[in-house]
Amino acid sequence: MNQLSNIMYRESNGFSYSYFENYSDDCNCMWRKVTEPENVYTIERIDILPEFRGKGFARELIKDAIKRIEAECPKACVEITAEPDEDSGISVENLVGFYVSLGFEKYQNFGSRVHLRLYLDDSVKPHTVYDYPFHFK
């Protein structure tokens, strides 16, 4: 199968989900707005069945999530962590490269886990993304 169904959206228990219609539990992107600081969202998890990997489906789900976040908060900072599941066969380096290709920038590297940020509006982006814990100018 080279094609998945339409991307759908739902909210549940404080999380938002973009998912493929026929694969809501197996092919989805889960995110939430954090309570503090304001205007920060975090993509918590991306699940793609192994047979659908490398076909652009994860990219489409993340792009849909970012589009929905931007509609809610145009000046948001979106955080994501590159930390693959042990049995996924995906390396941290591959995940970081994938997220960087979507516009995310690294700001903390712990070896087996890398944190990245994407600013939806450059006017709120600090001069360097490595200014943790500050998110905005």
Side-chain angles (χ1 to χ4, degrees):
M1 176 187 280
N2 292 330
Q3 189 87 11
L4 287 177
S5 57
N6 296 326
I7 294 179
M8 308 295 286
Y9 171 78
R10 77 171 190 262
E11 293 179 19
S12 178
N13 299 321
F15 291 96
S16 298
Y17 296 84
S18 289
Y19 62 94
F20 288 106
E21 187 173 19
N22 298 328
Y23 297 91
S24 63
D25 293 330
D26 302 313
C27 294
N28 63 67
C29 177
M30 177 178 79
W31 74 93
R32 68 181 174 90
K33 183 179 187 322
V34 298
T35 54
E36 197 174 305
E38 189 177 334
N39 297 342
V40 176
Y41 292 73
T42 180
I43 295 178
E44 300 281 332
R45 185 154 183 88
I46 301 158
D47 289 315
I48 297 292
L49 288 169
E51 60 264 31
F52 297 135
R53 292 184 186 148
K55 297 180 180 173
F57 298 127
R59 180 177 301 278
E60 291 307 310
L61 289 174
I62 293 172
K63 286 169 57 177
D64 185 77
I66 291 169
K67 179 181 78 174
R68 292 176 189 278
I69 291 168
E70 187 170 27
E72 184 177 315
C73 183
K75 294 187 182 237
C77 169
V78 182
E79 296 185 327
I80 196 164
T81 300
E83 184 176 25
D85 292 336
E86 280 185 29
D87 59 349
S88 70
I90 300 170
S91 70
V92 171
E93 294 79 14
N94 287 342
L95 273 181
V96 168
F98 172 65
Y99 297 146
V100 166
S101 77
L102 287 162
F104 287 86
E105 297 177 61
K106 292 188 281 185
Y107 75 93
Q108 286 185 320
N109 186 342
F110 297 107
S112 64
R113 185 178 68 233
V114 178
H115 298 283
L116 302 98
R117 289 183 182 157
L118 170 67
Y119 287 86
L120 302 183
D121 183 334
D122 282 341
S123 73
V124 298
K125 181 179 175 182
H127 296 297
T128 178
V129 201
Y130 304 98
D131 62 340
Y132 191 79
F134 305 105
H135 285 80
F136 301 100
K137 282 185 181 176

